[in-house]
Amino acid sequence: MKWIDYESPHSVREAVDLLNEAGDRARPLAGGTDLLVQLRAKAYDLDLVVDAKNIPELNELTYDPDNGLTIGAAVACYRIYGNSSVRSVYPGIVDAASLIGGTQIQGRASLGGNLCNAAPSADSVPPMIAYNGVARISGPNGSREVALEDFCTGVRQTVLERGEILVSLHFPTPEANSGANYIRFIPRNEMDIAVAGAGVSVVLDNGSIASARVTLASVAPTPLFVAEAGEAIAGKPATEETARIASAIARDAARPITDMRGTIEYRKRLCEVLTRRALMTAIERAKEN
Amino acid sequence: MPAKTYVQTIINGEHVDLLCEPRQSLLEALRDVVGLTGTKEGCNDGNCGACTVEFDGRIVTSCLVLGVEAEGKEITTIEGVAQGSELHPIQQAFLENAALQCGICTPGFIVASKALLEQNPDPTEHEIRFWLANNLCRCTGYDKIVRAVQDAAVKMQEA
Ligand SMILES: Cc1cc2nc3c(=O)[nH]c(=O)nc-3n(C[C@H](O)[C@H](O)[C@H](O)COP(=O)(O)OP(=O)(O)OC[C@H]3O[C@@H](n4cnc5c(N)ncnc54)[C@H](O)[C@@H]3O)c2cc1C
Ligand code: FES
Ligand code: FES
């Protein structure tokens, strides 16, 4: 690797100034589990990495029923699944945080990094979209919020502009009688990249689906939010038959490619099966709430 | 050449100050600057676990940490596992269960297994395999490693 400078600012302001000055010659560093691999592979040509882990706002992990959940952009997976509020209120996020890499990767990898890396296969993004997550961004012109389904714009491309940094991810408190789930398919039991994945949430009302959200991984250039799949089952009974309606729509919406991990046909079929199964788990979880 | 960075850390319980280049990984800093070569390099991209060390209370792959990130942090490497000439029960169990052949993966497996048994003294076989999924071994087929960890768990609980 060529010479790269390292800065470790202690405030969002300082980080924004450093990133703004260097433009595309600098990137933030969270857990480094994508960035350091990519720097070695020369995917980026940088002069500076800006370590985000010493900025207090990026390490925040707080939940309360009135304000919802805030996950600082640099909080590592182990802190997320180790937090009892997140475990009980946002199990769909825990599903993803506990299957990213293995123990060592989870000691470092953040959901902010997973999102900003903008891989189609990013496991945490579908469930974060299912929970109506919002990205809180700071930059040279102040702060803004972007819904997570609008954050990734292409493979390794996001809405972030020069000098902007993701500060945190925010999630409203789920409604009563709601549940969520993320599952993926990989050929091994762990440590692999999703061939396809489905992150879903449902809100139940007297045994019917009041609303639902479905997002797919690894079957489009970005995580794919399939609004129609959720809309089509609103008002229908919370049954397997209803889940099949949504999963057929998810299958048809998927735009995968054929590569060494699977063909287009195979991945579309996986979307159908994974969406149905994830919906059934989310419904079960909603009934327990 | 721009200036190197002065980093103060605690490695295996001792204060260690080192000079490293910001682009150097913690793995390179440990091996090439500090001279602790017990930590091994396999893949250099986070997959094999040969470079596992304990960093700030968590196991990490040191190839995916920058040396400069070690400022103010505590690190335990394989060299810090034995007590003087007395092997740690996990090291003893790896020997007795023939849990290594070429040995390149062994420091990583031992550091990772030690962290597991410290937080879960009586893991199931499934928990052991899942915890160690970030460590690869090309020689043993894993069964002997799992048995060594189970054996160490029993001995550590008896002690
Ligand atoms: C062995 C291995 C296994 C893996 N397994 C999985 C897996 O199963 N599922 C999966 O989804 N991923 C997996 N990954 C990929 C990676 O671990 C995840 O994407 C992880 O969540 C990245 O987080 P990080 O904190 O390490 O990000 P970093 O590598 O620090 O950053 C990733 C990208 O986001 C940018 N960035 C980071 N923080 C910010 C911020 N606050 N604002 C703006 N930009 C930012 C960086 O500049 C960089 O481009 C794996 C990686 C390895 C090495
Ligand atoms: S050398 Fe670090 S994980 Fe393989
Ligand atoms: S003993 Fe050779 S790789 Fe594990």
Side-chain angles (χ1 to χ4, degrees):
Chain A
M1 223 197 277
K2 76 173 219 336
W3 188 278
I4 293 176
D5 285 322
Y6 169 86
E7 294 283 353
S8 182
H10 289 261
S11 70
V12 172
R13 186 78 262 157
E14 271 176 274
V16 166
D17 287 346
L18 286 163
L19 291 168
N20 192 35
E21 190 174 326
D24 60 8
R25 308 298 300 168
R27 289 194 74 83
L29 169 73
T33 60
D34 280 316
L35 188 63
L36 296 187
V37 176
Q38 289 159 358
L39 284 176
R40 270 179 212 136
K42 300 195 165 65
Y44 292 113
D45 182 13
L46 303 183
D47 298 326
L48 174 69
V49 295
V50 179
D51 194 343
K53 292 188 293 298
N54 293 310
I55 305 172
E57 291 88 332
L58 278 83
N59 284 311
E60 179 182 349
L61 182 58
T62 49
Y63 169 73
D64 75 73
D66 294 333
N67 297 308
L69 172 67
T70 302
I71 302 179
V75 172
C77 289
Y78 80 91
R79 280 185 63 200
I80 292 164
Y81 57 68
N83 182 294
S84 55
S85 302
V86 185
R87 274 213 306 278
S88 62
V89 186
Y90 301 90
I93 293 178
V94 171
D95 292 334
S98 34
L99 56 70
I100 291 180
T103 315
Q104 287 89 321
I105 297 296
Q106 289 159 17
R108 299 276 293 172
S110 64
L111 302 193
N114 199 224
L115 176 70
C116 293
N117 185 59
S121 58
D123 283 310
S124 73
V125 183
M128 293 200 294
I129 292 173
Y131 280 110
N132 291 291
V134 167
R136 292 187 166 158
I137 300 165
S138 275
N141 303 319
S143 300
R144 60 181 179 128
E145 294 196 343
V146 174
L148 292 187
E149 57 267 35
D150 300 326
F151 190 89
C152 298
T153 53
V155 178
R156 270 213 236 135
Q157 283 171 340
T158 70
V159 295
L160 291 179
E161 288 174 12
R162 185 182 181 118
E164 284 191 321
I165 187 167
L166 177 71
V167 175
S168 61
L169 302 153
H170 182 263
F171 305 90
T173 297
E175 288 174 57
N177 307 312
S178 65
N181 182 220
Y182 175 73
I183 49 175
R184 67 177 180 183
F185 177 77
I186 56 172
R188 303 166 67 196
N189 289 327
E190 64 282 296
M191 292 287 291
D192 212 335
I193 299 169
V195 181
V200 310
S201 62
V202 296
V203 182
L204 300 188
D205 180 19
N206 266 326
S208 290
I209 308 275
S211 65
R213 285 167 74 82
V214 173
T215 301
L216 303 171
S218 276
V219 292
T222 63
L224 189 66
F225 175 52
V226 191
E228 323 82 85
E231 285 157 10
I233 59 171
K236 295 204 155 55
T239 59
E240 174 127 14
E241 211 184 315
T242 297
R244 282 182 196 280
I245 297 173
S247 60
I249 296 172
R251 175 201 60 211
D252 293 342
R255 311 190 299 270
I257 54 167
T258 292
D259 68 10
M260 64 178 181
R261 286 181 284 127
T263 60
I264 290 173
E265 296 74 16
Y266 184 59
R267 283 187 149 126
K268 278 180 150 301
R269 173 76 181 130
L270 279 173
C271 287
E272 187 174 359
V273 174
L274 294 171
T275 301
R276 173 171 49 81
R277 289 186 188 167
L279 278 169
M280 293 315 292
T281 302
I283 289 169
E284 282 313 306
R285 285 177 173 173
K287 287 180 183 162
E288 287 160 16
N289 275 337
Chain B
M1 190 77 128
K4 292 187 181 181
T5 306
Y6 178 60
V7 180
Q8 291 181 293
T9 66
I10 298 177
I11 302 178
N12 301 329
E14 286 180 25
H15 286 274
V16 177
D17 296 354
L18 54 132
L19 275 179
C20 60
E21 299 176 12
R23 64 180 160 184
Q24 267 178 324
S25 66
L26 177 61
L27 172 64
E28 290 168 313
L30 288 169
R31 290 181 57 88
D32 303 343
V33 182
V34 188
L36 290 172
T37 54
T39 304
K40 301 303 179 200
E41 175 180 326
C43 63
N44 212 25
D45 63 16
N47 275 283
C48 77
C51 65
T52 300
V53 301
E54 201 177 291
F55 180 79
D56 209 15
R58 302 288 312 175
I59 51 168
V60 301
T61 48
S62 60
C63 66
L64 295 187
V65 178
L66 293 176
V68 287
E69 292 184 64
E71 173 64 37
K73 299 284 199 278
E74 281 192 45
I75 298 161
T76 305
T77 68
I78 186 65
E79 287 89 345
V81 172
Q83 297 282 320
S85 60
E86 195 173 321
L87 293 182
H88 188 281
I90 297 174
Q91 293 173 307
Q92 195 63 43
F94 267 62
L95 285 177
E96 287 168 8
N97 291 275
L100 62 151
Q101 288 176 36
C102 78
I104 191 89
C105 69
T106 313
F109 268 104
I110 287 175
V111 171
S113 305
K114 177 170 168 284
L116 169 64
L117 296 184
E118 280 165 4
Q119 70 153 49
N120 182 358
D122 189 18
T124 63
E125 175 174 348
H126 180 79
E127 286 169 333
I128 295 170
R129 288 187 187 271
F130 211 74
W131 181 272
L132 296 176
N134 213 156
N135 292 80
L136 301 183
C137 174
R138 298 284 277 187
C139 304
T140 63
Y142 300 100
D143 282 355
K144 289 176 174 180
I145 292 175
V146 173
R147 254 175 270 142
V149 177
Q150 288 171 317
D151 185 25
V154 171
K155 293 202 169 114
M156 285 166 71
Q157 280 183 299
E158 285 167 356

